[in-house]
Amino acid sequence: IMDKDDLILPKDFPKLKNDAFLLACRGQETPHVPVWCMRQAGRYLPEFRESRAGKDFFATCRSPAACCELTLQPLRRFPFDAAIIFSDILVIPQAMGMDVQMVAGKGPTFPEPLKEPEDLLLLQSKVDVNKELDYVFKAITLTRHKLEGKVPLIGFTGAPWTLMTYMIEGGGSTTQSKAKRWLYRHPEASHQLLKMLTDIIVEYLLGQVAAGAQALQVFESHAGCLGPVEFQEFSLPYLRDIARKVKDQLKESGLDVPLIVFAKDGHYGLEDLSQSHYEVVGLDWTVDPRSARERTGGKVSLQGNMDPCALYAPKERISEIVKKMLEGFGTRGYIANLGHGLYPDMDPENVGAFVEAVHTHSRHLLNLK
């Protein structure tokens, strides 16, 4: 019997029973195509809504026990091949001293966003991640133990440009025009902020691996509002930096953890992303599977990319869509997912149908080989 305190130590983790996801990240053969969903721990699950009822969002993020429970909920219901820790990308701006609140019906809100370059002086440029973000690390360690080796646990972070957009916009935005104004008007200050974020993200990801994360995903959710030129200057170099630095540090400790980059709507950057030290490139639904394979030239595994709204379709139709998607991507070096997170009004039954369709159709395709 494990002592409660053993669950908070990042060692002696249970043996992994299903490694299909990790094998697929590395382009190795798998018994079936692995599948998980972005935002699989989310409001579409009644048990999630019940656990979260009346509680402050970021207070939940700071409770390792709550994060662990929310991470495990979808796995009790569906045979997902990976778990992703319940947290939020905005814990980094918080660690830098910014106030972030989750406002009902509005989403994340920064009462005092960055307005001009001199505001950068108000940020904690040197963040002690082990002090400021230890609650995430504790959640990862606890969850890794409680998963009992069922599936691998994914850690994640927001990418520098995406975090910068929130810090300047003060919340969600369709155009990101305040943040983009900085790129054109204050390019030096923009690079200064992006570099600051990159350094913290590297430490944060290394801390997640030390805590027990078995794969890492970097979310560049706002790639789509950049053009190819701005992407090359303000996003890609930092994405590459993160992967390279994390890999170099892990190598020193003899660790090797697959990295996934997801640049939503950044289809113009597909070739570049496939040569950026990430094992896996995540795709949204605007990209054709076959063309993504051609453009990445077998250099990386691919993850995605069913339109989440396809989950509103009847189950038979979901099954057909999945089959077509699998035929497009092929079964090797492929992780099935959605092209974005699950939406709160989706039916859990249809999520189950999606997972089952991936497993059934991929086993069939693998048997034909």
Side-chain angles (χ1 to χ4, degrees), residues 297-311:
K299 286 190 267 300
V300 286
S301 292
L302 296 173
Q303 174 175 279
N305 72 340
M306 190 174 88
D307 182 350
C309 292
L311 291 174

Side-chain angles (χ1 to χ4, degrees), residues 85-96:
I85 193 67
F86 178 82
S87 185
D88 196 87
I89 65 171
L90 299 180
V91 297
I92 289 184
Q94 283 181 331
M96 297 170 84

Side-chain angles (χ1 to χ4, degrees), residues 220-231:
E220 187 68 287
S221 312
H222 296 165
C225 64
L226 296 173
V229 178
E230 288 67 49
F231 177 76

